[in-house]
Amino acid sequence: MRILLDENVAWIVLDFLVSAGHQADHVKSLSGGLKNGAVYAKAKESYELFITNDRDFFNPKDFPPTKQLGIVFLRIKMSFPGKQVEALR
């Protein structure tokens, strides 16, 4: 599965997903940082799953669901990277 991680998701999550056999990228590895609209457009264009900790993505008017892209709201702060991995496991 192709997965994009938002900038507010710990890098250790990327390592976990890649080791599990997924094709995963972190927003910060693709660019220095993107605005939410640009991140959403990139995710819709090239990924099947987007993982974020950003409440802005709760707004279906700005970021409507699609048949091709799922969004996971990982509500665990980056300061607990091991907990982020546990939640996804």
Side-chain angles (χ1 to χ4, degrees):
M1 178 177 281
R2 291 201 34 99
I3 303 169
L4 181 62
L5 304 178
D6 203 358
E7 63 188 1
N8 52 28
V9 176
W11 284 92
I12 192 172
V13 174
L14 178 70
D15 296 336
F16 165 71
L17 292 171
V18 169
S19 70
H22 298 287
Q23 295 177 344
D25 293 310
H26 199 284
V27 167
K28 287 189 176 181
S29 68
L30 299 177
S31 69
L34 297 170
K35 299 274 186 192
N36 286 349
V39 170
Y40 178 70
K42 181 72 173 169
K44 283 194 324 183
E45 172 186 308
S46 304
Y47 297 90
E48 298 164 286
L49 187 65
F50 175 58
I51 300 175
T52 185
N53 190 5
D54 187 335
R55 290 181 191 263
D56 291 341
F57 287 98
F58 277 122
N59 186 341
K61 278 186 169 180
D62 293 334
F63 307 105
T66 72
K67 291 181 181 181
Q68 297 82 15
L69 179 68
I71 299 176
V72 172
F73 300 98
L74 192 59
R75 299 305 308 156
I76 301 168
K77 295 181 181 182
M78 278 184 66
S79 54
F80 300 101
K83 297 286 185 188
Q84 287 186 341
V85 169
E86 283 180 39
L88 290 171
R89 191 171 283 155

